[in-house]
Amino acid sequence: MSKRIPMMAGNWKMNMDHVQATQLVQKLDWTLKDGKHDFGVVEVVVLPPFTDLRTVQTMVEGDKLDIRYGAQDISVYDDGAYTGEISGPMLSKLGCSYVVIGHSERREYHQESDELLNKKVEAAYRNGLTPILCCGEGLEIRKAGHQVAHTVAQIEADLKGIPAEQAASIVIAYEPIWAIGTGEVATPEDAQEVCAAIRAKLAELYSAELADGVRILYGGSVKSDNVVGIMAKEDVDGALVGGASLKAEEFAKICMFTTA
Ligand code: 13P
């Protein structure tokens, strides 16, 4: 019997300035509280742009909100002459719990390699941040039926040399690229197939016990009307939500999927 607590994480991507962030987080908090959401049953996370993090920290700490937050990227370096980069120490000082690493949009538009992402995973752990490590295949690979091999190879490369004590807390997000922002949601069976394979890879790299405790999220066009089916799958422990996380009521519904 697994003790995994489901996580619903809203990846805002490059949306919402810090003023809009205040409104969104406030409304999300009210809506969840109105719906008597139990934050101990489903963890709620927001992942705003860097420029919003201080504002979100002030609200979460000041009003003692149960919402957790994190960043969308991290530098492999802790300080120095790296213009435009944001470091792990800066993110931990901002109270971030999580950091997204290896989102397909960064792999694709910023040419982030598995070798670099492996260093980002190290940087996150070195600074007390939990990675939300993203993986997933594009349409060509899916059509060829190689989604499992492709995705587990990414995970193996990104976790190279990461010790079990650290890997035990990792969150993995399986996001098939063809289902991101397209309205094309993978079927619950598609999600389950790859999430189960990722868990099996973790068992092989570490141990069955470690693999059983790791949360694996699905991401790609998740909405309140498809989340229940996806969450019914054994190896899916939550969702990484893009577009639908920008609307407080919709994201709150996703977080409250157990009461749907
Ligand atoms: P959408 O939910 O907008 O498809 O985005 C998914 C995603 O990329 C989350 O990281």
Side-chain angles (χ1 to χ4, degrees), residues 11 13 103-105 134 175 179-183 219-223 240-244:
N11 176 10
K13 307 192 180 184
H103 192 281
S104 59
E105 288 150 16
C134 302
E175 298 203 310
I180 295 178
T182 57
S221 301
V222 173
K223 311 258 179 313
L240 186 56
V241 184

Side-chain angles (χ1 to χ4, degrees), residues 21-41:
T22 307
Q23 292 161 355
L24 180 53
V25 171
Q26 263 170 1
K27 194 164 177 198
L28 177 62
D29 180 60
W30 295 334
T31 314
L32 289 167
K33 283 180 180 152
D34 234 29
K36 310 227 175 318
H37 181 66
D38 186 338
F39 290 85
V41 171

